[in-house]
Amino acid sequence: MSVFGSLIDQTEVISILKDAVEASRMVDNKTQSMTNTWLFTGPPGSGRSNAAIAFAAALVCKDGGCSKCNDCMSTIIGTHADVELIKTEGLSIKIDEVREIIARASWEPSSSRFRVVVIEDAERLTESAANALLKAIEEPGVRTIWLLCSPTVEDVLPTIRSRCRQISLVTPSTAAVAALLIREESAPAEIAEFAARASQGHIGRARFLVKEPESRARRDEVITFALQLSDVAGAM
């Protein structure tokens, strides 16, 4: 299975990314499938960050994303020397951090064809940080690839998104999420279907519900309690 096997119900996205990886391996990219700056958008749980990381792994993998080599595995766990994974626990990504990223992005790749920078929460860039990033992506290095992730295109500055190739992920179907849980979590079909419905297509939440029976029980209690309310006084 390739690195794109982790993307659920994203057939069109996978096709676009595979074409881009193939184009990136050509000396003369006449198909225009590959560009240096990408914007991955999609609702919570759709896997936009997973898609960006899988794409990064495929770009640095000698076999285009085999999922088994050291390049793929180290990219996925965040330790590849040529892949920068930027995520934040704070409310914003500030200009000083972006300047450091830009400086590192200009280095020559150490073992791959590209240096790839994945910014998981591009919507958290401050205005000054976004403007600094804009200058970098306006004239990216030939071997530098920027992968930005955001819930919607509107969350990113128009000047930045206009320079990105946009990839829109969709919420996976209940059936697709249930099949994933059965396959990867060895969940019984009934529990997998319940978790897929309850999570509304959010894969992370669905995995959590499968692994945590206490959470499933607590959810049932809350819903049952809510259904027993019949008047305003009871609700209060």
Side-chain angles (χ1 to χ4, degrees):
M1 184 174 73
S2 79
V3 289
F4 298 114
S6 62
L7 306 183
I8 307 302
D9 242 12
Q10 310 292 347
T11 305
E12 183 178 355
V13 167
I14 292 172
S15 177
I16 292 171
L17 297 181
K18 283 185 173 179
D19 287 347
V21 172
E22 188 63 30
S24 74
R25 301 165 70 85
M26 301 177 185
V27 175
D28 181 11
N29 176 18
K30 294 181 180 180
T31 66
Q32 300 299 310
S33 295
M34 185 60 194
T35 186
N36 290 80
T37 311
W38 298 70
L39 175 59
F40 292 78
T41 62
S46 60
R48 57 180 181 268
S49 296
N50 290 341
I53 292 169
F55 187 35
L59 289 171
V60 299
C61 173
K62 295 177 177 60
D63 294 317
C66 67
S67 81
K68 299 176 181 178
C69 69
N70 182 64
D71 285 325
C72 286
M73 291 189 291
S74 60
T75 297
I76 291 169
I77 65 175
T79 60
H80 196 289
D82 292 328
V83 180
E84 295 269 355
L85 177 58
I86 311 302
K87 58 174 91 174
T88 180
E89 299 292 333
L91 297 176
S92 63
I93 302 175
K94 297 180 172 57
I95 188 170
D96 289 342
E97 186 176 358
V98 169
R99 284 172 175 162
E100 290 180 12
I101 296 166
I102 292 170
R104 293 196 299 271
S106 65
W107 298 348
E108 281 293 308
S110 61
S111 61
S112 312
R113 291 170 295 139
F114 300 107
R115 283 194 65 81
V116 186
V117 182
V118 181
I119 302 181
E120 282 199 350
D121 302 298
E123 75 278 7
R124 298 190 188 184
L125 290 162
T126 63
E127 184 176 356
S128 57
N131 287 329
L133 178 62
L134 175 61
K135 293 179 181 179
I137 66 176
E138 280 180 328
E139 298 180 4
V142 176
R143 304 183 74 182
T144 302
I145 309 296
W146 294 89
L147 310 180
L148 314 182
C149 304
S150 177
T152 69
V153 294
E154 288 77 16
D155 291 321
V156 179
L157 281 180
T159 48
I160 288 182
R161 66 178 186 246
S162 66
R163 289 165 174 77
C164 299
R165 181 167 184 185
Q166 296 175 15
I167 299 293
S168 298
L169 284 83
V170 298
T171 300
S173 67
T174 297
V177 175
L180 170 73
L181 297 173
I182 293 170
R183 182 176 68 251
E184 295 190 2
E185 304 295 342
S186 301
E190 183 178 353
I191 292 177
E193 290 170 7
F194 163 78
R197 288 195 307 273
S199 66
Q200 298 183 333
H202 192 299
I203 297 173
R205 291 176 191 155
R207 289 185 191 273
F208 179 77
L209 285 172
V210 163
K211 295 176 181 178
E212 299 291 337
E214 296 84 0
S215 296
R216 297 198 301 272
R218 187 161 57 251
R219 181 183 182 278
D220 287 342
E221 288 176 5
V222 171
I223 291 176
T224 300
F225 179 74
L227 292 174
Q228 292 173 346
L229 299 176
S230 58
D231 53 36
V232 175
M236 294 300 292

